[in-house]
Amino acid sequence: MADKEATVYIVDVGRSMGKKCNGRTESDLDWAMTYVWDKITSTVATERKTLVIGIVGLRTDGSANELDQEESFQNITVLQGIRQLLLPDLKVLRPQVKSSETNDGDAISAIVIAIQMIIKYCKKLKYIRKIVLVTNARGSMDGDGLPDIITKIKEEGIDLLVVGVDFDDLEYGFKEENKEHRKRTNEELLKTLTDSCNGVFGTMQQAIEELGVPRLKSTRPTPSYKGQITLGNPLQYPTACCIDVERYPRTMIRRPLPASRFVQRSSNGIGLASATSSATVLPDADDPDTMMQDDPNGLTSVRSTRTYQIPDESAPGGKRDVERDQLAKGYEYGRTAVHISESDENVTKLETQAGLEIIGFIPWSSYERYMSMSVSSVVIGQKTNTKAIMALSSLIHALFELESYVVARLVPKVDKSPLIVLLAPSIEADYECLLDVQLPFAEDMRSYKFPPLDRVITVSGKVIKEHRNLPTDALSSAMSDYVDRMDLSTLGQDDEGNPAEYMPMMETYSPILHRIDQAVRWRAVHPNEPIPPPYEVLTRYSQPPDKLVADSKRQLEKLMLAANVKKGIVHHLRAKSQIDFSPVPPKVQSRKRRRNEAKPLSGLDVDALLGKSSKKAQISPQNPIPEFRQVLDKAEDASSIRDAVAQLATIIETQIRDSFSDINYGRAIEEITVMRDEMIELEEPVIYDEFIRALKRKLLAGELGGDRREMWAEIRKNHLGLVENRHLESSKVSEEEAKEFLSAN
């Protein structure tokens, strides 16, 4: 169970905190609250009821505390009692934190109030107790009774943190010039207090700077396997080796904060939406369990439900709702479904027992890193079993000395699917363990063959070492020099100034994860202000280091010269997402009736040798796209092109007409796309426009087997409308006409 924690923040809101000092564009209070709000919102985001917060205002215009009858406790207000803080509380609290009209109020007395609040709430229970004082130390402070306060802080086990605006901190390297005598005296008093009770004294500059360093979430270790690692079958052989072990995740992907769906609550308490899905159920306004309590944004959560329907001609709309319990599972087998009942389905499951069984050992050199298929886990001896810890340590040291890995069969729980894992020894100064990753089965491997990069093999099998597609020795040397110059392994520096790794893993944070976290926490407190830019630590590694780029400039120039790199001219093609960086001008001669026909290496006329006739080629429905392109390759005039388009159009209409639901829509879309691309390349946009106009008319009129509006929607989604003149100069269709054609139903 996570530790319980109670924290009281003392915020100085005196009149002097409203001033802008040392060249800052915001007041001392706003600047200091950047730190306070960040800490508070981080606690709120955990949603843990055991993390409670209290807020005390120092140097306020009024007084509201249990000791406000005494003169020394005036101008101190408890803004928030100790309890779990939620987002609505932040909305209420933020307007209260503003600069007051007085400088009266004692920070030492505010610490006494915070101590009393913690004692009253925590009693004698086990809590982590903290007091955080944020002040500029420009008010009056009474040091009488300081020894008693220090004694009480130590007795209650309270951690005291004092963060001061423009406080001097020689370790951090900040010193305020021309400091007032009162401020200097108060800083010394607070420094004595924190040192005497083993607290922390720091300057706000350092505190805000450290906000940019993401705080890593600590997780409670949860075992994924508890059992034995065995060598041999202990049920069969008395000499089998059995060691009690526990398995925990070592690395695990942390996901960004997910977003939920909400709707705007109307005046009658029920959310309204312009287009509510049948699968969206709005909460009942009378049901408190489904409504957000006092949401200041007027939002309410959305519940989703799912319905199952089957075709039924006798039912309204041709479909009938069925219950989930009436459904049966089926496995796809070709174009049909094979039903297996629940009683028979148990036969398909592999009955397994939990265990970690050693299959064998392999040398380190036999393992390829690409074979790791999962996150890593750590296997340790059973925590309370000294004998098991010693036995596992012996195995770990033996593997390390023999430079070997363990291949084992893992079943985490009963009836779970078995896994093959690789166990590697890890010996550190303070612990020993086995690290494991999942290995692939034969079905998991993907084998591909690619042409070699260092040679060209011709059709006849001849090996060519020098070719225009192969790097020259000069290019290889230039690339090698550039890679060496861009080396990051020694670019950084350690604490002693020695060369070190530039971006160690423990200092490389996920930008998307922490950026979302930063934005959500900021928006929770500042609903109308723009979100600040991401922290520098998140964007530090998004670009190569400037020093490295400058040092490698000469090697890069040599590399560009060796590779004959030329600056290209950007040309926008017909698709917005396609950009041509080729230096060739966009207006090149079209392929119209001069397409390059594939010729055999022998130079013989294969069609003549096979006795093929020169009559009109037919396009078959079984292989329409390749045959359509072959016909266009041999087309000698516009009539031949029109005939090929007409044949493909007939095939497309037949596929749509015979399609059960939308089964054939994908094939038809692919064929229409090919037709459009080919007509653009042949500069025959009129032929395609005539086809697509006729197809639209037939689809909307129901002439292709009933209502086929879904097919027209697919055409619109894939932007397969008329060919615009901005895509092809020979087209007479304007951009407005093309948009109107696609938008019309």
Side-chain angles (χ1 to χ4, degrees):
M1 180 178 177
D3 294 329
K4 295 184 289 185
E5 185 174 321
T7 304
V8 176
Y9 290 91
I10 304 174
V11 181
D12 189 348
V13 296
R15 184 173 58 188
S16 62
M17 288 287 287
K19 298 180 180 179
K20 302 176 182 179
C21 302
N22 292 326
R24 289 187 289 269
T25 58
E26 55 186 344
S27 67
D28 290 353
L29 179 60
D30 292 339
W31 189 53
M33 287 306 297
T34 303
Y35 168 79
V36 177
W37 288 130
D38 185 272
K39 293 295 183 182
I40 292 177
T41 52
S42 297
T43 303
V44 173
T46 63
E47 298 183 356
R48 283 175 48 192
K49 294 183 178 180
T50 55
L51 293 183
V52 291
I53 292 176
I55 312 292
V56 176
L58 170 62
R59 295 199 289 172
T60 57
D61 290 325
S63 303
N65 60 79
E66 292 186 357
L67 303 176
D68 56 8
Q69 301 300 323
E70 302 182 24
E71 182 180 354
S72 58
F73 293 95
Q74 295 299 308
N75 300 105
I76 299 175
T77 302
V78 178
L79 303 177
Q80 169 73 58
I82 297 180
R83 62 183 177 88
Q84 183 191 10
L85 216 60
L86 301 174
L87 181 59
D89 300 320
L90 293 179
K91 304 290 185 182
V92 175
L93 184 62
R94 187 168 183 265
Q96 301 180 37
V97 182
K98 58 182 180 180
S99 179
S100 68
E101 298 298 328
T102 181
N103 281 325
D104 297 333
D106 186 2
I108 304 299
S109 299
I111 293 177
V112 174
I113 296 295
I115 295 173
Q116 186 176 4
M117 292 172 62
I118 289 178
I119 294 174
K120 185 177 180 179
Y121 183 86
C122 300
K123 300 182 176 65
K124 297 298 181 180
L125 301 177
K126 186 178 179 181
Y127 269 88
I128 297 175
R129 310 167 188 215
K130 294 182 180 180
I131 295 177
V132 180
L133 171 62
V134 177
T135 179
N136 63 0
R138 295 183 183 273
S140 60
M141 294 187 190
D142 185 3
D144 295 341
L146 200 62
D148 296 335
I149 296 174
I150 294 172
T151 302
K152 195 62 177 177
I153 289 176
K154 290 182 178 180
E155 287 179 357
E156 298 298 329
I158 298 175
D159 298 329
L160 177 62
L161 171 61
V162 176
V163 184
V165 177
D166 297 328
F167 277 17
D168 294 342
D169 191 336
L170 299 181
E171 294 183 1
Y172 175 69
F174 177 82
K175 180 176 176 60
E176 184 182 20
E177 301 295 335
N178 303 320
K179 190 185 296 289
E180 298 177 2
H181 175 71
R182 171 181 284 187
K183 180 176 173 62
R184 182 181 296 107
T185 303
N186 290 339
E187 285 186 25
E188 294 173 355
L189 179 63
L190 293 174
K191 184 73 165 58
T192 302
L193 174 62
T194 54
D195 291 343
S196 301
C197 58
N198 300 321
V200 178
F201 179 90
T203 182
M204 185 61 68
Q205 280 83 346
Q206 182 179 5
I208 291 182
E209 181 181 309
E210 292 179 352
L211 293 180
V213 179
R215 294 175 288 276
L216 301 183
K217 181 181 179 182
S218 59
T219 56
R220 182 169 58 91
T222 303
S224 56
Y225 169 74
K226 278 189 174 183
Q228 291 183 331
I229 180 173
T230 60
L231 179 58
N233 189 349
L235 301 178
Q236 214 170 4
Y237 305 102
T239 57
C241 176
C242 302
I243 305 174
D244 294 320
V245 296
E246 298 176 2
R247 181 174 182 259
Y248 297 90
R250 179 62 180 270
T251 59
M252 188 71 68
I253 299 176
R254 183 180 170 188
R255 307 293 181 184
L257 185 68
S260 302
R261 295 182 180 275
F262 298 91
V263 294
Q264 194 75 28
R265 186 189 303 151
S266 63
S267 58
N268 61 359
I270 302 178
L272 297 178
S274 58
T276 305
S277 168
S278 61
T280 302
V281 180
L282 298 177
D284 187 357
D286 298 327
D287 186 359
D289 294 335
T290 61
M291 300 297 293
M292 294 187 66
Q293 299 179 357
D294 301 327
D295 190 334
N297 296 321
L299 299 178
T300 180
S301 58
V302 178
R303 292 183 292 111
S304 297
T305 185
R306 180 176 295 180
T307 59
Y308 300 90
Q309 296 179 329
I310 60 173
D312 187 352
E313 296 181 357
S314 61
K319 294 182 179 180
R320 176 168 57 88
D321 292 347
V322 295
E323 297 294 333
R324 178 182 172 85
D325 298 339
Q326 298 178 265
L327 303 179
K329 288 186 177 181
Y331 293 85
E332 188 174 353
Y333 185 72
R335 299 303 302 169
T336 60
V338 176
H339 167 60
I340 298 180
S341 62
E342 287 190 17
S343 58
D344 293 336
E345 191 174 3
N346 294 329
V347 180
T348 64
K349 294 183 179 179
L350 184 64
E351 296 182 1
T352 57
Q353 296 296 324
L356 181 58
E357 304 169 3
I358 295 177
I359 299 175
F361 305 89
I362 60 171
W364 292 353
S365 58
S366 300
Y367 178 71
E368 301 291 345
R369 296 181 65 181
Y370 65 81
M371 299 179 70
S372 300
M373 289 189 59
S374 67
V375 297
S376 59
S377 298
V378 57
V379 177
I380 62 173
Q382 193 178 49
K383 294 180 180 179
T384 58
N385 192 336
T386 306
K387 184 178 178 181
I389 295 174
M390 292 296 295
L392 186 65
S393 177
S394 301
L395 175 61
I396 293 170
H397 280 269
L399 292 171
F400 187 81
E401 292 172 4
L402 297 175
E403 298 184 351
S404 299
Y405 294 138
V406 174
V407 179
R409 177 181 183 269
L410 172 65
V411 180
K413 294 181 180 180
V414 177
D415 291 337
K416 288 287 186 180
S417 301
L419 305 173
I420 302 297
V421 296
L422 183 87
L423 301 169
S426 177
I427 301 177
E428 302 293 340
D430 52 349
Y431 70 94
E432 299 170 351
C433 66
L434 290 173
L435 300 176
D436 78 72
V437 291
Q438 183 181 343
L439 293 178
F441 290 103
E443 296 81 4
D444 301 323
M445 296 297 296
R446 298 290 185 268
S447 298
Y448 304 102
K449 288 186 178 181
F450 299 100
L453 299 177
D454 59 344
R455 61 191 182 278
V456 174
I457 302 177
T458 63
V459 178
S460 61
K462 182 181 178 181
V463 179
I464 301 176
K465 293 290 186 179
E466 294 184 2
H467 191 269
R468 60 184 178 87
N469 294 334
L470 296 178
T472 62
D473 293 339
L475 178 58
S476 300
S477 177
M479 178 60 75
S480 178
D481 293 341
Y482 180 66
V483 171
D484 292 340
R485 180 63 69 172
M486 292 291 290
D487 184 16
L488 293 172
S489 59
T490 58
L491 186 64
Q493 289 184 345
D494 58 17
D495 296 337
E496 299 178 357
N498 300 320
E501 186 180 359
Y502 172 68
M503 47 184 301
M505 183 185 68
M506 297 307 296
E507 297 179 8
T508 307
Y509 304 97
S510 170
I512 182 66
L513 192 152
H514 295 291
R515 177 56 175 166
I516 292 177
D517 183 57
Q518 176 195 6
V520 171
R521 286 188 285 109
W522 178 270
R523 181 58 73 230
V525 182
H526 308 87
N528 300 319
E529 298 180 16
I531 297 175
Y535 295 127
E536 184 272 337
V537 70
L538 300 180
T539 59
R540 180 183 302 165
Y541 303 126
S542 59
Q543 298 292 337
D546 295 337
K547 181 179 182 302
L548 206 61
V549 172
D551 293 344
S552 60
K553 183 177 180 181
R554 188 167 59 89
Q555 284 73 17
L556 179 60
E557 292 174 351
K558 290 183 177 180
L559 176 61
M560 295 174 64
L561 182 63
N564 194 23
V565 176
K566 297 179 180 179
K567 184 178 292 187
I569 303 173
V570 179
H571 303 302
H572 294 275
L573 302 183
R574 58 177 176 268
K576 293 182 179 179
S577 61
Q578 296 176 338
I579 298 179
D580 181 16
F581 290 94
S582 170
V584 180
K587 296 181 180 180
V588 296
Q589 186 177 0
S590 72
R591 293 170 52 207
K592 187 174 183 179
R593 287 177 287 285
R594 66 168 190 83
R595 296 170 62 109
N596 295 327
E597 185 176 350
K599 296 181 179 180
L601 295 176
S602 62
L604 299 176
D605 189 348
V606 177
D607 291 341
L609 293 175
L610 296 177
K612 290 185 178 180
S613 60
S614 59
K615 64 180 181 180
K616 181 177 70 174
Q618 297 293 326
I619 301 175
S620 66
Q622 291 75 25
N623 195 27
I625 293 178
E627 294 181 5
F628 175 69
R629 285 174 170 156
Q630 291 173 6
V631 172
L632 293 182
D633 285 338
K634 299 178 180 179
E636 297 181 354
D637 50 26
S639 61
S640 302
I641 297 175
R642 285 185 176 275
D643 180 70
V645 171
Q647 293 188 57
L648 186 58
T650 302
I651 294 173
I652 293 172
E653 293 178 0
T654 302
Q655 290 175 345
I656 297 173
R657 184 182 294 107
D658 298 342
S659 176
F660 178 73
S661 185
D662 60 351
I663 290 179
N664 292 339
Y665 288 179
R667 295 176 58 189
I669 290 295
E670 183 180 5
E671 291 159 1
I672 295 173
T673 302
V674 171
M675 180 192 295
R676 189 177 192 274
D677 292 343
E678 294 294 334
M679 292 303 102
I680 291 176
E681 192 168 0
L682 291 172
E683 295 188 4
E684 294 288 356
V686 177
I687 300 178
Y688 173 79
D689 291 346
E690 292 175 354
F691 157 75
I692 198 65
R693 291 181 191 274
L695 181 63
K696 176 184 178 181
R697 177 181 55 78
K698 294 178 181 179
L699 289 173
L700 300 183
E703 299 178 9
L704 298 180
D707 186 4
R708 298 293 182 181
R709 293 182 180 271
E710 291 185 7
M711 179 62 193
W712 175 243
E714 289 294 323
I715 293 175
R716 295 175 60 191
K717 184 173 69 174
N718 289 274
H719 304 287
L720 298 176
L722 303 174
V723 179
E724 306 172 22
N725 51 18
R726 66 188 181 95
H727 293 162
L728 194 63
E729 292 185 356
S730 59
S731 174
K732 304 298 183 182
V733 179
S734 64
E735 183 176 357
E736 291 74 15
E737 185 180 355
K739 288 182 179 180
E740 183 181 358
F741 176 78
L742 278 180
S743 61
N745 292 323

